[in-house]
């Protein structure tokens, strides 16, 4: 009996030791993985900050190409620039995806003014994308100020023959300025639709910005389902002008506002998405897309929107190659065309991916400016969202504290499905809407170090996604 008890004790002791060894081995393995990942991420940041290429790429794009609205000669020049640059970086393959894009042109510089109490005041103004022109002599009419689409619609026939002035400002209490933008942009996009129906002569909109300054912000508008005979001209005035006009209307509700613009929509033009990739070493059929949009509005140089996103995306590939990081899956860099006024490039890319039965398992988009990195927004299923959030310890030392559920980006969102993990790069947003869609969006507004930190941040999360996403589960077709 004693021998039996002794044997039983020995067996329990051996099993216990094996369990401890197994736990220790697992702990050591996890620790080694974390150390390896931490070292590789540090290497990516070191490379970007000491041998980065993105800043000079951006200088070339903004200074030698400039604003590049879809359908323009500058947009075509940007396509040629992007194709050549991808080849110089040494991607495994580079090609162009044809896509037909809209071609709206601004025409002559817009003019606006009004007279009150005998004083003529000139107003900084710009036409909104896809707006029609005013008559050649311009428009002169009384102004009705409103704060929302609902308030405008409630006026009904009272708008007939008037210029409707949408003056809802950003909510400055919102820390995330993109939320403030989202709370106001409907008046820019749908204002002309709401007012044209009731015979308004035109629409002017307060610019989409936190700043109070003299720079008007353009952007896309839409006529929705309005018949063409009810289309009315739409323009944005600067935020400072909006404040002054609002005050003057309080004193003189009958003042008349004048504006003139000569924009028009021409027939669609052929253009391209620019695509290049690094082939995966283990599962090349699985694809991660990294991209930004190549087009920009015409007022400035398209630096923060979205030149920074374009060069950062390509720098992800450059950093992988420079540091001999060979991805398991294919990393595909895409410069999307026509994000600003149609997202035709994004839709074409997603349609071709479906047609060719490509297996996209993830995507990353940079379209929020080139300021200091803050983190990423995640559009994924619960399991993969939690996986990405588990990397906070690795990313936090670089200021990447925000790993929250949210949208990804206009150009990669058509790829969305339950099994595709989409991520949006999120830099600090406080200065972005000082420049967004204005003549101020120029190369000199981009800080070299902030830009390079963004490239490294994007390369780091793609490195982790490539290594661990779907590591323990089969990819569904």
């Amino acid at each position: 009996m004693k021998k039996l008890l002794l044997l039983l004790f020995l067996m329990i002791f051996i099993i216990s030791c094996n369990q401890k060894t197994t736990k220790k081995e697992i702990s050591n393995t996890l620790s080694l993985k974390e150390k390896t990942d931490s070292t590789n991420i540090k290497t990516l940041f070191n490379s970007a900050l000491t041998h980065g290429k993105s800043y000079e790429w951006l200088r070339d794009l903004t200074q030698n190409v400039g604003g590049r609205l879809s359908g323009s000669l500058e947009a075509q020049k940007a396509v040629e620039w992007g194709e050549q640059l991808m080849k110089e970086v040494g991607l495994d393959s580079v090609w162009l995806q044809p896509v037909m894009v809209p071609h709206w042109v601004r025409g002559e510089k817009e003019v606006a003014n009004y007279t009150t109490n005998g004083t003529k005041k000139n107003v900084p103004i710009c036409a909104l994308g896809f707006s029609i022109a005013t008559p050649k002599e311009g428009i002169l009419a009384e102004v009705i100020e409103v704060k929302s689409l609902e308030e405008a619609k409630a006026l009904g026939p009272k708008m007939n023959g008037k210029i409707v002035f949408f003056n809802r400002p950003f909510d400055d209490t919102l820390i995330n300025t993109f939320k403030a933008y989202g709370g106001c942009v409907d008046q820019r996009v749908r204002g002309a639709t709401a007012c044209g129906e009731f015979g308004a002569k035109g629409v002017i909109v307060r610019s989409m910005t936190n700043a109070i300054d003299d720079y008007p912000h353009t952007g896309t508008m839409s006529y929705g389902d309005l018949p063409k005979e009810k289309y009315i001209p739409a323009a944005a005035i600067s935020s400072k002008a909006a404040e002054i006009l609002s005050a003057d209307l309080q004193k003189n509700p009958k003042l008349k506002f004048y504006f003139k613009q000569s924009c028009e929509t021409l027939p669609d033009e052929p253009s391209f998405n620019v695509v290049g990739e690094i082939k995966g070493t283990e599962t090349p059929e699985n694809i991660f897309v990294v991209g930004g949009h190549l087009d920009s509005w015409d007022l400035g140089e398209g630096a923060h929107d979205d030149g920074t996103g374009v060069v950062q995306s390509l720098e992800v590939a450059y950093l992988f190659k420079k540091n001999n990081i060979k991805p398991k899956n294919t990393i595909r860099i895409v410069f999307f065309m026509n994000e600003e006024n149609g997202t035709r490039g994004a839709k074409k890319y997603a349609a071709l991916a479906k047609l060719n039965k490509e297996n996209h398992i993830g995507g990353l988009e940079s379209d929020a400016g080139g300021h200091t990195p803050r983190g990423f927004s995640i559009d994924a299923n619960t399991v993969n969202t939690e996986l990405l959030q588990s990397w906070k310890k690795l990313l936090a030392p670089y200021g990447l504290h925000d790993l929250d559920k949210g949208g990804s980006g206009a150009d990669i969102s058509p790829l969305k499905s339950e099994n595709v993990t989409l991520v949006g790069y999120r830099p600090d947003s406080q200065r972005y809407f000082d420049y967004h869609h204005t003549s101020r969006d120029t190369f000199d507004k981009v800080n070299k170090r902030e830009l390079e930190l963004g490239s490294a941040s994007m390369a780091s999360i793609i490195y982790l996604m490539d290594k661990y996403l779907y590591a323990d589960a089969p990819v569904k077709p």
Side-chain angles (χ1 to χ4, degrees):
M1 184 67 180
K2 287 182 180 180
K3 288 182 178 180
L4 185 60
L5 288 172
L6 182 60
L7 182 60
L8 184 60
F9 174 78
L10 286 170
M11 289 176 65
I12 292 171
F13 177 75
I14 291 168
I15 291 170
S16 176
C17 287
N18 285 339
Q19 286 178 335
K20 287 179 181 179
T21 301
T22 303
K23 288 178 181 178
K24 186 176 181 180
E25 287 174 348
I26 291 172
S27 177
N28 287 342
T29 300
L30 291 174
S31 178
L32 181 60
K33 277 186 176 182
E34 188 174 287
K35 186 175 180 180
T36 300
D37 292 337
S38 179
T39 299
N40 286 337
I41 288 171
K42 178 63 174 172
T43 298
L44 289 169
F45 272 87
N46 287 350
S47 295
L49 294 171
T50 57
H51 298 95
K53 300 289 188 181
S54 56
Y55 192 67
E56 291 307 317
W57 291 342
L58 182 65
R59 185 197 302 275
D60 190 23
L61 176 62
T62 55
Q63 305 294 283
N64 295 324
V65 178
R68 43 203 180 273
L69 195 57
S70 293
S72 67
L73 292 175
E74 291 80 7
Q76 177 56 32
K77 190 175 178 181
V79 167
E80 294 166 5
W81 171 89
E83 182 184 22
Q84 180 61 32
L85 191 58
M86 284 189 183
K87 289 177 179 177
E88 288 176 8
V89 170
L91 302 189
D92 294 336
S93 54
V94 177
W95 68 97
L96 302 179
Q97 284 184 343
V99 56
M100 295 297 292
V101 297
H103 188 193
W104 178 86
V105 294
R106 184 170 302 280
E108 296 177 2
K109 185 172 174 57
E110 304 88 341
V111 176
N113 56 66
Y114 63 93
T115 300
T116 183
N117 294 328
T119 302
K120 182 178 179 180
K121 297 184 179 181
N122 293 318
V123 177
I125 190 170
C126 66
L128 294 177
F130 287 135
S131 175
I132 63 168
T134 61
K136 288 185 178 180
E137 67 275 13
I139 290 174
L140 179 66
E142 290 183 6
V143 179
I144 301 178
E145 180 180 354
V146 296
K147 300 291 186 183
S148 67
L149 291 171
E150 291 71 28
E151 188 179 342
K153 290 174 183 176
L155 290 170
K158 292 179 182 178
M159 289 187 276
N160 187 50
K162 304 292 199 308
I163 293 172
V164 180
F165 167 36
F166 286 90
N167 190 30
R168 183 165 79 256
F170 271 27
D171 181 350
D172 284 334
T173 67
L174 295 174
I175 304 303
N176 185 337
T177 61
F178 280 88
K179 289 185 178 179
Y181 175 74
C184 291
V185 74
D186 62 340
Q187 59 192 330
R188 187 195 79 200
V189 176
R190 300 199 297 276
T193 303
C195 302
E197 182 179 353
F198 296 101
K201 265 194 168 184
V203 162
I204 54 174
V205 182
R206 181 192 184 102
S207 284
M208 302 290 108
T209 179
N210 299 90
I212 304 298
D213 59 27
D214 283 323
Y215 296 94
H217 294 231
T218 192
T220 294
M221 56 77 64
S222 170
Y223 291 109
D225 296 326
L226 277 181
K228 284 193 173 183
E229 62 268 20
K230 291 191 175 183
Y231 284 13
I232 58 175
I237 64 173
S238 72
S239 54
K240 186 175 180 180
E243 296 275 293
I244 295 170
L245 176 59
S246 181
D248 285 341
L249 283 168
Q250 294 297 316
K251 300 171 189 174
N252 181 11
K254 294 294 185 180
L255 73 79
K256 291 187 176 182
F257 189 94
Y258 170 83
F259 76 106
K260 178 183 177 181
Q261 59 192 38
S262 56
C263 47
E264 63 177 321
T265 300
L266 302 175
D268 286 358
E269 289 281 347
S271 190
F272 303 90
N273 293 326
V274 185
V275 187
E277 65 183 22
I278 301 174
K279 277 289 185 185
T281 56
E282 296 181 19
T283 49
E285 68 277 10
N286 294 342
I287 301 167
F288 285 104
V289 166
V290 183
H293 64 85
L294 191 54
D295 62 308
S296 77
W297 284 105
D298 56 320
L299 296 180
E301 296 172 356
H304 279 289
D305 187 21
D306 184 33
T308 54
V310 164
V311 297
Q312 285 173 329
S313 296
L314 184 55
E315 194 152 54
V316 170
Y318 165 77
L319 291 172
F320 269 54
K321 290 183 71 65
K322 181 172 180 59
N323 293 288
N324 201 31
I325 296 173
K326 299 185 184 300
K328 296 190 306 179
N329 307 286
T330 292
I331 308 297
R332 183 177 290 175
I333 312 302
V334 183
F335 297 168
F336 293 96
M337 182 54 71
N338 184 231
E339 187 274 344
E340 292 293 3
N341 59 347
T343 61
R344 300 265 189 95
K347 293 168 184 172
K348 184 62 175 288
Y349 180 87
L352 287 173
K354 184 176 181 180
L355 180 67
N356 296 328
K357 298 181 179 179
E358 292 180 335
N359 189 40
H360 287 75
I361 62 174
L364 170 63
E365 183 168 341
S366 174
D367 185 18
H371 295 115
T372 304
R374 293 287 184 243
F376 303 93
S377 57
I378 306 165
D379 187 4
N381 60 42
T382 301
V383 171
N384 288 333
T385 298
E386 291 175 354
L387 174 63
L388 268 66
Q389 289 173 335
S390 74
W391 301 333
K392 190 169 184 178
K393 183 179 177 182
L394 289 165
L395 299 172
Y398 305 96
L400 300 166
H401 299 285
D402 300 335
L403 293 169
D404 304 316
K405 283 192 72 68
S408 55
D411 283 317
I412 63 173
S413 60
L415 296 170
K416 181 177 171 60
S417 79
E418 178 66 16
N419 298 310
V420 179
T421 298
L422 301 178
V423 179
Y425 168 59
R426 295 292 172 252
D428 183 89
S429 69
Q430 304 313 313
R431 290 169 285 161
Y432 184 67
F433 289 100
D434 293 353
Y435 312 128
H436 183 251
H437 295 182
T438 74
S439 60
R440 296 185 71 202
D441 187 13
T442 50
F443 175 70
D444 59 294
K445 306 304 189 305
V446 178
N447 176 273
K448 180 176 183 291
R449 188 170 177 84
E450 288 180 320
L451 181 69
E452 292 165 349
L453 286 169
S455 298
S457 299
M458 292 168 60
S460 297
I461 201 162
I462 286 295
Y463 161 79
L464 292 169
M465 290 170 71
D466 175 65
K467 188 172 180 180
Y468 295 115
L469 205 61
Y470 298 105
D472 298 315
V475 179
K476 296 180 181 179

